[in-house]
Each structure stands twice: as structure tokens, then as C-alpha cells.
């Protein structure tokens, strides 16, 4: 079963508008972390924002915020005031068992390609 | 600039060649990862090293051989690859736990 689901293969947004990228996840762990990464066409994976399963407040980092709804198992990324440079692939990802003593793997969703238009 | 350095940036190799990908980080991270990413797909985990020991192998074919000589360095040795192994290979590191993985810029591998 898919652990991370991103249902929007592609999204368009006008410059200066806000956009929400959807992400739902599936886990039986109590302790997990949710991450969003941006991947421009050049290929590097850029970390954007993190939400821990026990965090009560939604995470924010500059123009990025994470709308975390634990009961619904969703962790949507909101980008405010979109810029042309935001055009990229966006991946939602999850690390389970993050309080264990071993390195835990990061599992990615299928991604959403965002295009910012003038 | 990324704090995880991968070399080479691009690699073209024949199916009978032996080559190695290199990854280096100096952030003191004790977990290091290899991911493979095909075009228009998400990265897929290949290997995880924790404290220089292999902790996760995602059933990767033996033509891919990882090595972690020290806490800063991670290699991926390639031998007898197939054209379908052509992909972007991403290295990452992290402290363990709830912190993000820091990725390198990747090596674009083409197998001819």
C-alpha cells in the first residue's frame, strides 16, 4: 500500500497567488516525521519544511507552511505569494520510527509538478 | 551550495565497465543514504548506512555495491550495469531521528 499519496500530478498557479499541494500518508507508527522537498529541473533535492507527529503547531518556514491534520493523515504544503522560481517538482515524504536508535528511511510520494505563470 | 558533495556529476559507462560514485559530507552526520531516481519518478531508497555499517539494503541487485570507508565518505561501486540502471543517483546524509535528509546534487548515470 502507498505510504505517501500525492493526488495532483501537476498544478498551475499565478505569480503572487497562494497554492496548496496535497499529501496524505499512511502509518501505524505513533512517532513519525513529514517533510516536503523541492526538486528543480537541475535535480537537487531541497528541503523545505518539517512536521513531527507530536508537534501541536503547524510548521512554517518563510513562505511555506504545512497544514497538518493528524486525524485525517494529511500534511498539505501551502506556498504563499508564489514566485516564478517556485516552478519545480514537489515531493512529500515521511520518516517512520524517528525515535528509534537506528537510521530510518525517508519514503517519498509521487510528486506534484508546480508551474508558476505570469 | 549543497553540503553533500557527489562526484562525478555525469557518468556514461558501458555494460562491461566498472565505475564508482562518490559522496562526501563533513557535517558529522552518522547516517548516509543512496537513492535512485528514474525520470519523472520519486527517489527510491537503495541503501542506508548508520555509523559506517550497512543497516538497510532494499533488495538492490549485487551489481550495485555500497561502501562506507569512514563517517564522511560513501561510495557506490558499479559493475555490469544494464541500460535500465540509467538514472539520477542521489546521496544523502542526516543525523538520526526527526531531522531532514540533506541531499547532494546527484550523479546522472547513463549506461550504454
Amino acid at each position: 500500500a502507498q505510504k505517501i499519496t500525492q493526488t495532483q500530478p501537476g498544478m498551475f498557479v499565478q505569480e503572487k497567488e497562494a497554492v496548496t499541494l496535497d499529501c496524505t500518508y499512511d502509518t501505524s507508527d505513533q512517532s513519525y516525521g513529514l517533510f516536503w522537498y523541492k526538486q528543480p529541473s537541475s535535480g537537487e533535492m531541497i528541503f523545505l519544511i518539517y512536521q513531527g507527529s507530536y508537534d501541536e503547531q503547524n510548521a512554517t518556514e518563510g513562505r511555506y507552511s504545512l497544514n497538518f491534520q493528524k486525524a485525517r493523515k494529511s500534511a498539505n504544503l501551502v506556498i504563499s505569494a508564489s514566485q516564478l522560481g517556485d516552478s519545480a517538482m514537489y515531493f512529500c515524504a515521511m520518516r517512520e520510527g524517528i525515535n528509534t536508535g537506528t537510521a530510518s528511511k525517508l519514503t517519498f510520494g509521487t510528486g506534484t509538478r508546480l508551474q508558476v505563470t505570469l | 551550495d549543497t553540503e553533500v558533495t557527489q562526484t562525478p556529476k555525469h557518468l556514461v559507462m558501458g555494460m562491461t565497465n566498472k565505475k564508482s560514485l562518490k559522496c562526501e559530507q563533513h557535517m558529522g552526520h552518522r547516517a548516509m543514504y543512496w537513492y535512485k531516481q528514474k525520470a519523472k519518478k520519486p527517489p527510491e531508497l537503495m541503501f542506508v548506512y548508520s555509523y559506517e555499517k550497512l543497516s538497510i539494503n532494499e533488495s538492490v541487485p549485487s551489481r550495485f555495491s555500497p561502501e562506507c570507508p569512514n563517517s564522511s565518505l560513501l561510495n557506490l561501486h558499479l559493475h555490469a550495469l544494464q541500460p535500465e540502471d540509467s538514472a539520477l543517483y542521489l546521496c544523502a546524509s542526516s543525523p538520526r531521528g526527526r531531522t531532514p535528509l540533506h541531499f547532494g546534487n546527484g550523479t546522472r548515470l547513463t549506461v550504454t
Side-chain angles (χ1 to χ4, degrees):
Chain A
Q2 281 278 36
K3 292 218 172 201
I4 300 281
T5 302
Q6 294 180 255
T7 57
Q8 305 153 314
M11 291 280 285
F12 286 90
V13 64
Q14 274 197 316
E15 197 180 19
K16 300 177 188 172
E17 297 291 309
V19 63
T20 298
L21 306 184
D22 294 341
C23 173
T24 58
Y25 60 92
D26 183 31
T27 181
S28 56
D29 278 6
Q30 297 302 306
S31 181
Y32 53 90
L34 297 158
F35 303 81
W36 278 91
Y37 283 83
K38 171 184 177 182
Q39 188 176 40
S41 55
S42 52
E44 72 264 37
M45 295 289 284
I46 302 166
F47 165 69
L48 297 177
I49 196 167
Y50 162 80
Q51 180 84 42
S53 56
Y54 293 120
D55 295 341
E56 294 184 355
Q57 303 253 2
N58 284 346
T60 59
E61 289 284 350
R63 294 187 298 111
Y64 304 108
S65 60
L66 203 152
N67 183 0
F68 181 48
Q69 297 189 43
K70 193 170 180 177
R72 294 186 178 184
K73 294 189 174 178
S74 76
N76 298 339
L77 177 70
V78 180
I79 305 174
S80 62
S82 296
Q83 302 171 355
L84 293 177
D86 293 334
S87 296
M89 181 70 91
Y90 288 79
F91 289 101
C92 180
M94 178 170 65
R95 285 181 92 171
E96 297 171 282
I98 57 176
N99 288 333
T100 66
T102 57
S104 58
K105 61 183 181 181
L106 188 68
T107 303
F108 289 86
T110 50
T112 295
R113 182 161 295 282
L114 179 66
Q115 287 272 79
V116 181
T117 61
L118 291 169
Chain B
D1 284 342
T2 181
E3 296 167 319
V4 177
T5 304
Q6 288 188 245
T7 53
K9 288 184 169 39
H10 300 273
L11 179 62
V12 180
M13 59 185 291
M15 288 190 285
T16 57
N17 291 159
K18 284 186 181 180
K19 297 285 184 184
S20 296
L21 309 185
K22 181 180 170 182
C23 174
E24 201 162 2
Q25 58 89 13
H26 296 286
M27 295 178 283
H29 294 169
R30 302 313 296 268
M32 295 187 76
Y33 306 74
W34 280 116
Y35 279 83
K36 173 182 177 180
Q37 187 178 22
K38 301 281 280 182
K40 301 186 192 304
K41 297 288 187 183
E44 293 181 346
L45 182 68
M46 300 175 74
F47 303 104
V48 180
Y49 273 83
S50 178
Y51 287 86
E52 295 97 69
K53 291 186 180 176
L54 183 65
S55 63
I56 298 177
N57 176 343
E58 293 285 278
S59 303
V60 178
S62 59
R63 58 185 183 269
F64 295 92
S65 175
E67 179 196 22
C68 190
N70 58 59
S71 60
S72 301
L73 194 54
L74 185 66
N75 297 320
L76 187 63
H77 303 297
L78 314 172
H79 173 54
L81 294 194
Q82 305 296 310
E84 59 265 29
D85 296 322
S86 298
L88 178 67
Y89 288 83
L90 291 161
C91 173
S93 71
S94 78
R96 294 172 308 164
R98 57 183 64 203
T99 55
L101 271 61
H102 297 249
F103 284 86
N105 287 341
T107 295
R108 289 195 186 274
L109 175 68
T110 303
V111 181
T112 60

